[in-house]
Amino acid sequence: MKINAPYVGILKKIMPRTLFGRSLLIVVLPTILLQVLATYIFYERHWNNVARRLAQGVSGEIASVISLTDRFPGVEARESILSIARDQMRLTVSFEEGTEVRIPEDHSDDFGFLEKHMARELQNSLPGRAFTIKTNDRLETVNIRVQLPDHVLSVVVRDKRLFSSTTYIFVMWMVGISITLLAIAVIFLRNQMRPIRQLAEAAEKFGKGQEVEDFKPSGAQEIRLASIAFHEMKNRIHRQITQRTEMLAGVSHDLRTPLTRMKLQLEMLDDKEARDNLLGDVQDMSNMVEGYLAFAKGQEAESERPVNLAELVGEVCENARRQGALISLEGPRSISKKLRPNSIKRCLMNLIENARRYAGEIQVTLSAKEEYILITIDDNGPGIPEEKRQDVFKPFFRMDTSRNSETGGSGLGMTIARDIIHSHGGQIALGESPLGGLRIQLILPW
């Protein structure tokens, strides 16, 4: 069976978004349906039958009083009949002389549940007689007036004669059971949701590069398996990063020694042209080694701590200004953020240094949004074509036209910057700057 798209959209809007809400709905909805079904069956089968039989009893007693009055006329007999009705039938009966029963046109429209049953039984017990039924405001008594040949019979019946108190007990019992089951379900579901939230928080912190302490798996078996798998994944990633960093740092460090010897030997060559060419190649290799070491250093573990990000950005801009960059900074003076300051500083220095090499003007903007912090770096340089903006994040990638080996750099600056931002759970994006060059946007979550 296909469900129309509008109904699907409405269902998605009213459905709870959290797992706790949906699980609670799975528990509560069948309980409510069961209670409604049980109430309907009780109303149709039990309450309806009990009310009908109680009304039959009262109408039969009223009919008996009328029969006795017709069979035994006289004042003394009437007093005896009233005494019998009061003592044995628990009816308050009186005779109204000189009055008539006047039935309003909309009399039956005002009948409630009890009045309808009572009217139906009175019609069966007293065929052809006019009567009215009226309950008081508090629903404590029912006043029945029946037209007799020369007077009116007034009967006052307590509501307990027509209404079963077990109805309230049944309803309260059902409500109490429902509330108890709901409370137990809420407590149980919260206990089951706690390890899921713990795992989600750990995964989010790990994705942001924050230190995640090992926690004991708890909850259902599937949740325990997911927690164990997360711990194993985290340890494998840490081992791989550590091994890669150590290997890269070791190889880069070992290459420094032969490169230094090569420089010394080249200085002794008599052929100046050949010596300069070889020295240029050695210098390129040396720059690559320095890039390797900087990349490995960027992967070193550094603990997070609260830092005034505005001051840190200001220090990087001031250092670039001392190196001759025409740079401006806009933004608040204080933004407190928990991060790894040395890594963020290295990231900003790489990006601003690239801008300083190829642009005459740099504008840095810092802003704090509701869900993230935005750092924007604009320059008026040549920029980067859109089709190559993803390539610049590849290790050792350099653009031939504007960013070649003669300008310095090993092609790892953007790679290191991206890894640092990603390790903080953020994003880095490239675009066109209003100044005409490249715009770099760093997004750091709170």
Side-chain angles (χ1 to χ4, degrees), residues 228-240:
I228 294 173
F230 170 77
H231 286 305
E232 294 177 353
M233 178 197 69
K234 182 192 71 171
N235 294 332
R236 284 197 301 268
I237 292 175
H238 278 161
R239 285 196 302 269
Q240 291 173 359

Side-chain angles (χ1 to χ4, degrees), residues 109-372:
D109 296 338
D110 297 334
F111 284 168
F113 177 78
L114 297 177
E115 291 89 339
K116 287 181 179 179
H117 278 286
M118 195 67 219
R120 188 181 301 113
E121 298 303 326
L122 285 175
Q123 289 174 355
N124 295 332
S125 301
L126 306 173
R129 295 185 183 271
F131 61 85
T132 59
I133 302 174
K134 184 179 181 181
T135 57
N136 66 348
D137 296 336
R138 297 183 179 180
L139 300 178
E140 295 178 349
T141 60
V142 179
N143 187 8
I144 303 171
R145 300 177 75 244
V146 182
Q147 181 68 57
L148 300 180
D150 53 354
H151 52 268
V152 174
L153 177 66
S154 176
V155 182
V156 179
V157 185
R158 298 287 297 178
D159 63 339
K160 294 181 180 180
R161 294 288 313 276
L162 298 173
F163 183 78
S164 176
S165 60
T166 57
T167 302
Y168 291 121
I169 297 175
F170 175 77
V171 172
M172 294 303 296
W173 176 260
M174 292 181 62
V175 172
I177 290 294
S178 300
I179 294 175
T180 303
L181 292 176
L182 180 61
I184 294 174
V186 169
I187 295 173
F188 177 77
L189 288 175
R190 282 192 172 181
N191 290 335
Q192 294 301 311
M193 293 300 112
R194 188 178 296 112
I196 296 178
R197 287 195 297 268
Q198 186 181 31
L199 179 60
E201 291 173 359
E204 183 180 5
K205 290 176 64 177
F206 185 69
K208 293 180 179 179
Q210 301 175 3
E211 186 65 27
V212 179
E213 298 180 357
D214 291 339
F215 56 89
K216 182 179 179 181
S218 60
Q221 182 178 4
E222 292 80 3
I223 303 175
R224 291 173 182 265
L225 293 176
S227 301
I228 294 173
F230 170 77
H231 286 305
E232 294 177 353
M233 178 197 69
K234 182 192 71 171
N235 294 332
R236 284 197 301 268
I237 292 175
H238 278 161
R239 285 196 302 269
Q240 291 173 359
I241 293 176
T242 302
Q243 290 173 0
R244 185 190 70 168
T245 303
E246 291 176 353
M247 181 185 67
L248 189 58
V251 171
S252 302
H253 186 271
D254 292 341
L255 285 176
R256 275 181 163 180
T257 302
L259 285 175
T260 303
R261 289 199 301 265
M262 291 174 65
K263 285 183 180 181
L264 293 175
Q265 292 175 2
L266 288 174
E267 292 292 339
M268 300 177 184
L269 287 178
D270 295 332
D271 190 343
K272 185 176 184 304
E273 183 177 356
R275 181 185 62 188
D276 291 340
N277 291 333
L278 290 174
L279 282 175
D281 293 337
V282 171
Q283 186 61 40
D284 288 342
M285 295 177 64
S286 179
N287 291 337
M288 290 183 182
V289 170
E290 294 298 330
Y292 287 141
L293 291 175
F295 184 75
K297 191 176 181 181
Q299 306 301 314
E300 292 178 356
E302 180 186 1
S303 60
E304 290 189 337
R305 58 185 177 88
V307 177
N308 187 343
L309 184 59
E311 290 185 359
L312 189 147
V313 176
E315 292 177 6
V316 175
C317 293
E318 185 62 30
N319 290 336
R321 193 174 293 113
R322 284 196 294 265
Q323 294 177 12
L326 180 60
I327 185 170
S328 62
L329 173 62
E330 296 180 2
R333 295 184 178 180
S334 176
I335 296 180
S336 180
K337 173 78 170 71
K338 193 175 182 181
L339 44 78
R340 293 186 290 276
N342 292 332
S343 297
I344 292 295
K345 199 169 186 178
R346 186 178 299 112
C347 168
L348 294 173
M349 289 174 62
N350 287 349
L351 298 177
I352 293 179
E353 177 63 21
N354 281 345
R356 188 184 69 83
R357 287 174 181 168
Y358 309 107
E361 181 183 357
I362 306 171
Q363 183 177 349
V364 180
T365 306
L366 177 64
S367 60
K369 307 297 182 179
E370 189 172 337
E371 298 180 354
Y372 58 88

